[in-house]
Amino acid sequence: MDIQLKRGMLDICVLSAIRDHDSYGYQIIKDIKPYLTISESTLYPILRRLETAACLTVYSVEHNGRLRKYYHITDAGRERINEFVEEWKELEAIYQFITREENSDE
C-alpha cells in the first residue's frame, strides 16, 4: 500500500478512536486493535502530528498519582474524518473502474 495513503488512514483511525469520547494512548491502541495493529512508536508521532494540525487537543489528568495525557478531537478533526469519507467514495469508484473487467468475466 502507498505509504502516504496508509499514513492518512492511520490518522483517520486515530481520530475515529477519539471521535465519541476523549481517550489516552494505551486506550486508543486497544480500541483500534480489533481493526489494525498499531504500536506506541507509531501512535505518538501521529498524535503529535494531529495536535500540530489542530485536529485534536491534549490535556492531562492525574490517574493513580501520575499524569495521563488525554486527547480530544476538535472540529477540524471531525472535518478531516468527513473529508476522508468523501475521498474514500472517490477511491471506491476508481477501484470499481480498475476491477470492472475482472468483475465482468465472472
Side-chain angles (χ1 to χ4, degrees):
M1 176 181 284
D2 177 69
I3 191 71
Q4 291 300 328
L5 178 60
K6 187 173 183 178
R7 177 179 169 187
M9 291 180 79
L10 288 174
D11 289 2
I12 298 304
C13 288
V14 170
L15 288 171
S16 294
I18 63 171
R19 177 179 41 206
D20 297 327
H21 54 83
D22 296 357
S23 193
Y24 54 95
Y26 181 70
Q27 186 63 50
I28 293 169
I29 290 171
K30 283 177 49 178
D31 291 343
I32 291 175
K33 189 173 186 166
Y35 309 99
L36 63 105
T37 301
I38 186 170
S39 67
E40 288 182 25
S41 62
T42 300
L43 176 64
Y44 288 103
I46 291 170
L47 290 168
R48 284 190 295 276
R49 183 170 58 246
L50 291 170
E51 182 182 12
T52 299
C55 290
L56 57 83
T57 57
V58 182
Y59 61 94
S60 296
V61 173
E62 188 173 333
H63 178 75
N64 292 334
R66 298 178 58 193
L67 286 179
R68 177 183 281 172
K69 284 186 176 181
Y70 278 82
Y71 299 90
H72 173 80
I73 192 167
T74 63
D75 289 341
R78 291 180 193 286
E79 182 58 31
R80 183 62 197 111
I81 292 172
N82 293 337
E83 289 169 0
F84 178 83
V85 169
E86 290 304 313
E87 291 167 2
W88 191 256
K89 290 176 186 176
E90 289 179 44
L91 288 173
E92 285 181 315
I94 293 168
Y95 173 81
Q96 291 302 320
F97 173 73
I98 292 169
T99 61
R100 75 186 183 290
E101 290 180 16
E102 293 174 11
N103 291 336
S104 65
D105 288 343
E106 295 176 356

